């Protein structure tokens, strides 16, 4: 697949126009964890924009910073530096009290470990009612809403079952209903299909789409399941705490068989390399390996293209030698 470089976020929209303020803005986000005397840099200058109503996924290897990013967006953790704005709120400038309200009203969370989402000895319905009770709202309207949510997630006839009697997939559906209980505009899901089989995973991804379409919820799913690609509008890959590439799904119309009366609707994926605020880009590792690129390349502007040329290894040695000579005044 050919990679296209560009500030791709500007081209991504599903429900909002590109000129609109993004719902989520992460600007040069840094998160450093200090453990004893060691520092772990979980996010190193991450830039990301997400539009309101977008259904997107963040993929990346274990340890790449996905959960760190999600926890920051959810107000569970604070960044070390950078800017993060959600729905016009600057998360770094919020007081503890504002943060509590933010967590209750603006974001819903779905975790991989179902135990973190709910109480096994309560029924599905009671579990969905709980966040509303905790938020101090509970009446006929809320009861109706809890039922509606359980219907939406496909558990209309399992509402009064205890969670301990439900399958992993059913529990994850309840978890999604719980995450939506306080009608948050933003739903964050960390590896929501990590504990279910492939087929169940596909139906859960479909459910996220249905919820976005029905309620306009902005949904960010963290996963290492590449199959998410065909289920969301956009996939952003993060590597070493920075966004590296993004892939946008488009519906393609195939007219090649038009004469025979067939118009085929399919999907294509456009993959882009993301530039950071300083114009840096990450070259995919497979390309680096294929062309044996190590420390340097040549960059050439040709017409409307920028060409990245590998330096043959002897050349690289020679140019290093030359630089050394220049530095020490040798000829
Ligand atoms: P992912 O969710 O992509 O697997 P994480 O965001 O959990 O990645 O972690 C990113 C990096 O930050 C890892 O190197 C991890 O060890 C480190 N890290 C995450 N949380 C903590 C923490 N609470 N204390 C120290 N290091 C952490
Ligand atoms: Mg994680």
């Amino acid at each position: 697949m050919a990679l296209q470089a560009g500030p791709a976020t500007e081209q991504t929209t599903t429900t909002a126009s590109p000129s609109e303020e993004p719902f989520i803005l992460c600007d040069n986000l840094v998160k450093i964890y200090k453990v004893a005397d060691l520092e772990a840099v979980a996010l190193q200058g991450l830039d990301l924009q997400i539009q309101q109503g977008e259904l997107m996924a963040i993929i990346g290897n274990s340890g790449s910073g996905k959960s760190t990013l999600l926890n920051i967006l959810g107000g569970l953790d604070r960044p070390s530096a950078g800017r993060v704005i959600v729905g016009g709120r600057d998360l770094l400038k919020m007081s503890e009290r504002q943060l509590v309200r933010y967590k209750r009203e603006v974001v819903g969370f779905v975790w991989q470990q179902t135990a973190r989402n709910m109480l096994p000895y309560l029924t599905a319905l009671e579990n969905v009612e709980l966040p509303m009770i905790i938020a101090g709202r509970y009446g006929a309207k809320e009861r109706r809403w809890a039922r509606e949510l359980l219907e939406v997630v496909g558990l209309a006839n399992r509402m009064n079952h205890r969670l301990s009697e439900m399958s992993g997939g059913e529990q994850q559906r309840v978890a999604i209903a719980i995450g939506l209980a306080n009608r948050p505009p933003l739903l964050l899901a960390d590896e929501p299909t990590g504990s279910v089989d492939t087929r169940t995973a596909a139906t859960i991804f479909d459910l996220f789409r249905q919820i976005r379409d029905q309620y306009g919820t902005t949904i960010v799913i963290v996963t290492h399941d590449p199959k998410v690609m065909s289920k969301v509008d956009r996939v952003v890959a993060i590597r070493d705490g920075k966004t590296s590439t993004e892939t946008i799904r488009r519906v393609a119309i195939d007219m090649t068989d038009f004469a025979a009366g067939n118009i085929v609707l399919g999907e294509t994926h456009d993959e882009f390399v993301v530039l950071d605020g300083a114009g840096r880009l990450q070259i995919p590792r497979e390309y680096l390996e294929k062309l044996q690129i190590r420390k340097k390349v040549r960059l050439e502007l040709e017409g409307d293209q920028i060409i990245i040329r590998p330096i043959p290894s002897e050349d690289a040695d020679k140019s290093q030698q030359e630089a050394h000579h220049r530095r020490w005044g040798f000829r």
Side-chain angles (χ1 to χ4, degrees):
M1 184 186 337
L3 290 175
Q4 308 172 40
T9 31
E10 283 174 22
Q11 319 192 13
T12 2
T13 46
T14 49
T15 54
S17 78
S19 57
E20 266 176 50
E21 275 287 287
F23 181 59
I24 296 175
L25 173 72
C26 298
D27 182 14
N28 211 357
L29 213 53
V30 175
K31 177 68 189 183
I32 300 169
Y33 289 107
K34 290 204 175 71
V35 183
D37 279 345
L38 293 176
E39 287 188 346
V41 187
L43 299 178
Q44 33 191 327
L46 179 136
D47 298 317
L48 180 67
Q49 298 190 7
I50 302 174
Q51 300 298 330
Q52 181 135 37
E54 212 184 325
L55 170 65
M56 61 95 64
I58 294 172
I59 61 169
N61 292 336
S62 172
S64 56
K66 305 182 298 295
S67 295
T68 302
L69 172 63
L70 220 59
N71 288 342
I72 289 175
L73 292 179
L76 302 174
D77 208 344
R78 290 201 189 242
S80 313
R83 220 156 50 108
V84 52
I85 292 172
V86 179
R89 299 169 191 81
D90 188 332
L91 298 197
L92 264 99
K93 294 198 177 131
M94 274 203 255
S95 66
E96 284 304 319
R97 252 185 78 192
Q98 288 170 318
L99 216 50
V100 170
R101 275 191 62 172
Y102 173 81
K103 283 185 272 191
R104 191 175 291 162
E105 289 166 15
V106 182
V107 285
F109 251 107
V110 180
W111 309 98
Q112 175 183 347
Q113 312 91 321
T114 45
R116 202 166 165 185
N117 295 305
M118 49 208 167
L119 300 171
Y121 48 85
L122 296 183
T123 66
L125 189 60
E126 288 164 343
N127 266 285
V128 180
E129 289 167 346
L130 204 55
M132 296 186 261
I133 295 171
I134 292 169
R137 276 191 298 262
Y138 197 64
K141 197 170 129 227
E142 282 73 25
R143 262 198 297 278
R144 265 202 310 280
W145 174 235
R147 288 175 173 280
E148 175 180 329
L149 280 175
L150 283 165
E151 281 161 19
V152 166
V153 301
L155 293 174
N157 47 23
R158 306 278 288 156
M159 285 185 201
N160 297 312
H161 286 72
R162 281 174 217 274
L163 289 171
S164 50
E165 302 162 1
M166 293 185 160
S167 70
E170 285 173 332
Q171 290 187 10
Q172 221 37 335
R173 286 165 183 275
V174 179
I176 293 168
I178 295 171
L180 293 168
N182 285 325
R183 303 175 191 265
L186 174 62
L187 187 66
L188 303 173
D190 196 350
E191 307 274 4
T193 60
S195 316
V196 300
D197 62 72
T198 320
R199 228 185 70 223
T200 310
T203 64
I204 286 176
F205 287 139
D206 289 337
L207 180 56
F208 282 119
R209 171 170 293 273
Q210 187 195 331
I211 286 162
R212 190 281 303 272
D213 292 348
Q214 202 159 333
Y215 300 113
T217 315
T218 306
I219 303 181
V220 182
I221 304 168
V222 156
T223 180
H224 56 249
D225 184 353
K227 281 192 291 300
V228 76
M229 189 74 78
S230 61
K231 301 289 188 179
V232 295
D233 306 327
R234 178 166 66 123
V235 174
V236 170
I238 77 173
R239 190 198 290 167
D240 302 333
K242 243 171 132 64
T243 49
S244 60
T245 58
E246 78 173 44
T247 308
I248 296 165
R249 191 174 66 114
R250 277 186 218 292
V251 175
I253 303 172
D254 182 355
M255 305 280 278
T256 46
D257 210 14
F258 182 64
N262 291 330
I263 298 175
V264 181
L265 281 182
E267 56 179 39
T268 61
H269 297 122
D270 292 342
E271 190 173 3
F272 300 90
V273 176
V274 180
L275 300 187
D276 74 6
R280 286 178 289 242
L281 61 80
Q282 214 168 20
I283 301 173
R285 196 159 297 160
E286 64 206 82
Y287 291 10
L288 295 179
E289 280 164 10
K290 180 142 193 254
L291 301 180
Q292 296 192 354
I293 292 173
R294 291 196 184 87
K295 294 228 146 70
K296 291 177 205 164
V297 291
R298 267 185 226 288
L299 219 54
E300 288 164 22
L301 185 67
E302 263 190 41
D304 56 358
Q305 300 184 55
I306 299 168
I307 299 182
I308 298 175
R309 277 190 213 289
I311 303 174
S313 51
E314 317 98 89
D315 274 20
D317 291 346
K318 216 167 101 204
S319 78
Q320 222 167 27
Q321 235 169 40
E322 279 166 8
H324 184 78
H325 284 189
R326 263 199 306 281
R327 187 161 157 220
W328 297 104
F330 297 152
R331 292 247 136 222

